[in-house]
Amino acid sequence: DSGVTQTPKHLITATGQRVTLRCSPRSGDLSVYWYQQSLDQGLQFLIQYYNGEERAKGNILERFSAQQFPDLHSELNLSSLELGDSALYFCASSVAAHFVVGSQETQYFGPGTRLLVL
Amino acid sequence: GQQLNQSPQSMFIQEGEDVSMNCTSSSIFNTWLWYKQDPGEGPVLLIALYKAGELTSNGRLTAQFGITRKDSFLNISASIPSDVGIYFCAGQRETSGSRLTFGEGTQLTVNP
C-alpha cells in the first residue's frame, strides 16, 4: 500500500459527460501529480499541484482541469468526454515541489481510476 | 510526449532464470526509478537511483544508473512466478521539474 488513495476505482460514462476523479496524497506529501495511462500513449504526465498551487503542466487537454484543496487532496475534472479519453488515471504524491539535484525524491502512485467512455 | 526507450518490450522466461531490461534516452536524467505494475493496479516503486554509476539492490532486484546519465538497467535474478507484470523505468530531469518521463514498459511472463 503506497498510502496514496484514489476514488472511484472504476468509472463508466457517456461521451459528452463530465467526471471528477479524486486523490488523497500520502501523509506529509505536499505535491500531487496526475498521469494518464492509455494503450497507445503509455504513461503521460498531466499536471502537478504543490500545496494548493499549480506547479507544472504536461500533456493536459483544455477540457481537463485539476485543483488541490487546503487538506491537500486533489481532484481531476474531465469534461466533454470523448471515446479517446478512456484510460487509467493515476495520482502520485511526493514531499517536494520540485526536483532538486541530490535529493532523494521519489513519487508514490495510487491504485488508479479506470475510466471508460462509451 | 517524450518517452524513454525501454527494451525489451516483452520477455517470456522460465522460473529460475535471470532477467535484464534497460532504458535509454538521448537526454540526461538526474534520477532513475524502476516501477512494477500488476494488472489493474498502480505502479509500485521498486528501486530509486540518484547518482551516476550508482548500483542498488532490493532483494533479487538490482538496478544501475548509467555513467552517462542517459541509461539505466534492471536485473532480476532467479525469477519466480510472482515476478510477472509490467516493469517501467522512469526518469526525472532537472529541467523538467518533478514530473516523471516513463519508458514504454517491459511485459514479463514467467513460466513455472
Side-chain angles (χ1 to χ4, degrees), chain A residues 50-98:
Chain A
Y50 174 78
N51 205 21
E53 304 268 327
E54 182 185 301
R55 191 76 192 186
K57 248 180 178 177
N59 301 322
I60 187 167
L61 299 171
E62 284 192 14
R63 300 182 286 108
F64 296 1
S65 65
Q67 54 185 325
Q68 187 179 26
F69 295 86
D71 67 352
L72 301 177
H73 89 271
S74 177
E75 292 180 356
L76 179 66
N77 301 297
L78 315 177
S79 61
S80 302
L81 285 167
E82 302 174 359
L83 295 177
D85 296 328
S86 296
L88 274 164
Y89 291 85
F90 290 106
C91 164
S93 74
S94 68
V95 173
H98 58 275

Side-chain angles (χ1 to χ4, degrees), chain A residues 9 33 35 37 41-45 56-59 90 97-99 101 103-111, chain B residues 1-3 30-31 33 35 37 39-45 48 50 88 92-94 96-100 102-103:
Chain A
K9 181 82 170 166
Y33 309 78
Y35 292 85
Q37 186 177 35
Q41 292 289 317
L43 267 158
Q44 300 281 328
F45 168 75
K57 248 180 178 177
N59 301 322
F90 290 106
H98 58 275
F99 174 76
V101 174
S103 72
Q104 309 266 301
E105 183 69 2
T106 55
Q107 289 181 26
Y108 295 89
F109 282 75
Chain B
Q2 177 194 3
Q3 282 200 313
N30 293 99
T31 300
L33 307 171
Y35 290 87
Q37 186 178 24
E41 303 293 327
V44 174
L45 183 66
Y50 301 101
F88 289 97
Q92 275 180 318
R93 296 192 296 160
E94 190 176 5
S96 296
S98 293
R99 73 183 70 183
L100 294 179
F102 280 86

